[in-house]
Amino acid sequence: MTNDGLIPTWRTLEDAFWAQGGKPRPPTTFALGHLKWTRNAHRYPSNSGKTAKWSSSFTSEDGHIVEDPNPPLRNRRNDPDRNWGLGRE
């Protein structure tokens, strides 16, 4: 939560992370208001595995979680319910 008691949006946290010189390798901790937040990046590989898209989530020191409102779509390569595209039962 910030000083006014509200949980910041994902965009606010993402902007604060990069403004404070964030590094893309997870996990990374930074401060916003009176709380420390940890940013975790998540990789979503394409079906071929040649490219990937990234998403992030934030966890505050008091347990609040803020996730990307528009994460990349699941596909057979990055979905555990489809066995990550391995074709095994």
Side-chain angles (χ1 to χ4, degrees):
M1 296 192 313
T2 59
N3 290 334
D4 58 7
L6 299 175
I7 297 173
T9 64
W10 176 84
R11 174 52 49 202
T12 300
L13 290 166
E14 189 75 8
D15 291 344
F17 169 77
W18 291 108
Q20 294 181 33
K23 295 183 173 47
R25 296 284 182 223
T28 305
T29 302
F30 66 101
L32 180 65
H34 67 283
L35 287 179
K36 288 184 180 176
W37 291 84
T38 301
R39 180 182 187 266
N40 290 294
H42 314 282
R43 183 176 185 268
Y44 292 87
S46 66
N47 276 331
S48 69
K50 293 180 180 179
T51 62
K53 292 189 178 185
W54 290 84
S55 179
S56 61
S57 64
F58 298 90
T59 306
S60 69
E61 63 187 341
D62 63 353
H64 287 92
I65 298 173
V66 179
E67 295 184 349
D68 186 346
N70 299 309
L73 295 175
R74 291 268 186 203
N75 62 40
R76 64 182 167 80
R77 174 74 67 146
N78 64 35
D79 190 351
D81 291 336
R82 291 190 245 172
N83 205 14
W84 289 281
L86 298 176
R88 293 183 246 166
E89 297 291 324

